[in-house]
Amino acid sequence: GAVVSQHPSRVICKSGTSVKIECRSLDFQATTMFWYRQFPKKSLMLMATSNEGSKATYEQGVEKDKFLINHASLTLSTLTVTSAHPEDSSFYICSANGLASVGYEQYFGPGTRLTVT
Amino acid sequence: AQSVTQLGSHVSVSEGALVLLRCNYSSSVPPYLFWYVQYPNQGLQLLLKYTSAATLVKGINGFEAEFKKSETSFHLTKPSAHMSDAAEYFCAVSVNDYKLSFGAGTTVTVRA
C-alpha cells in the first residue's frame, strides 16, 4: 500500500519550453502532497506543499511563477516548470501523506530527472 | 524550528560488519523521526520511524534505530552489512507542521 508514482521518470526539454511532471497516489487519497528538488549528492530541498483544491504554499526562495503546482484531486498533483533553463535541470521528487499516515510519514515517488538543454 | 544533523557524510564498512549511521535532532517538542534510504536515481524508501511508542524501533532490511531523548539522537544500526546496503541514507524529523526536515545524508559503501 501507499504507492506514489511519478511521470515521466526522465525528460529532456529545450531551454525556454515548459515541462509538466505528474505525481499520483495510486492506492490512497493524499491529503497533502509535497514537491522536492534534489541536486547531485545533496539532500532534498522542499519546494512547496499543496493541498487538494487550494493554492500551493511555496518555500522561501522558490519562484511560484516558475514552478506551477496544481493539486486538482486527492490523487494527483502536477508540477510545471515554465520557461525552463539549464539551471532547472535536477531530480524532482514528490511525496504525499494521507489520512492513514502516522506521525506525518510521507510516501515518496520514484523521482523525475529533468534535463534542460 | 526542528532540524537534524547527520554526522559523517560518508561511511565505508566491510561486508558483514556493523553499520552505524548517526543522527541528532533539534526540536522543542517531542518529534517524529524517520530514516529513509535512497538508491541511485530513485525516490526515498522508508526504513523505519519513531512516533513516540517504543524507543527501539525495528525497520526493514534488518535495520533498527534507538530514540534517546537525553542525547537527542536517533542513530541507525544494522549488525551485519550486505552489499545491497550501499545507498544514501537520510534522517528526517517532523513535529506539528507535517513537513519533513532532512539531514544532509550519509553515503554508505560496502567493501567486499
Side-chain angles (χ1 to χ4, degrees):
Chain A
V3 179
V4 175
S5 70
Q6 279 184 245
H7 178 80
S9 58
R10 227 173 240 283
V11 59
I12 300 173
C13 70
K14 292 187 183 300
S15 187
T17 62
S18 296
V19 62
K20 180 185 287 188
I21 302 170
E22 290 187 350
C23 176
R24 293 182 185 272
S25 57
L26 298 185
D27 52 2
F28 68 102
Q29 292 186 324
T31 51
T32 306
M33 285 184 161
F34 307 84
W35 286 95
Y36 295 86
R37 182 172 180 177
Q38 186 178 32
F39 292 99
K41 301 195 182 299
K42 296 290 186 183
S43 190
L44 280 73
M45 181 190 80
L46 179 65
M47 299 173 67
T49 304
S50 72
N51 294 289
E52 183 257 342
S54 61
K55 288 185 179 180
T57 301
Y58 290 81
E59 295 298 300
Q60 192 172 8
V62 177
E63 298 176 63
K64 59 182 178 183
D65 294 331
K66 180 166 190 61
F67 298 100
L68 300 179
I69 292 172
N70 183 272
H71 195 157
S73 74
L74 283 172
T75 59
L76 174 64
S77 176
T78 59
L79 168 67
T80 302
V81 183
T82 63
S83 186
H85 289 283
E87 56 265 32
D88 298 325
S89 298
S90 194
F91 194 54
Y92 292 88
I93 305 176
C94 74
S95 70
N97 61 19
L99 294 175
S101 294
V102 176
Y104 308 109
E105 177 182 350
Q106 293 179 19
Y107 308 106
F108 285 82
T112 296
R113 174 76 57 192
L114 170 63
T115 303
V116 184
T117 62
Chain B
Q2 67 274 18
S3 65
V4 290
T5 301
Q6 289 183 242
L7 301 174
S9 59
H10 189 208
V11 169
S12 180
V13 298
S14 297
E15 191 173 19
L18 171 73
V19 179
L20 170 61
L21 304 183
R22 301 179 187 273
C23 173
N24 287 90
Y25 70 90
S26 173
S27 175
S28 58
V29 297
Y32 297 115
L33 293 158
F34 307 83
W35 274 101
Y36 286 90
V37 62
Q38 184 181 33
Y39 298 99
N41 294 309
Q42 295 187 28
L44 273 66
Q45 179 182 12
L46 181 69
L47 282 176
L48 48 80
K49 60 188 176 187
Y50 168 75
T51 56
S52 74
T55 56
L56 182 62
V57 181
K58 293 189 183 297
I60 62 171
N61 301 341
F63 284 95
E64 65 180 36
E66 185 172 8
F67 173 73
K68 291 187 177 180
K69 185 178 179 180
S70 61
E71 299 177 10
T72 62
S73 68
F74 190 57
H75 301 332
L76 181 72
T77 60
K78 181 173 180 176
S80 177
H82 191 271
M83 297 299 287
S84 61
D85 295 326
E88 189 78 17
Y89 292 79
F90 293 98
C91 182
V93 62
S94 180
V95 286
N96 296 328
D97 62 355
Y98 57 79
K99 293 182 185 179
L100 289 179
S101 292
F102 285 90
T106 299
T107 303
V108 172
T109 57
V110 183
R111 304 185 302 272

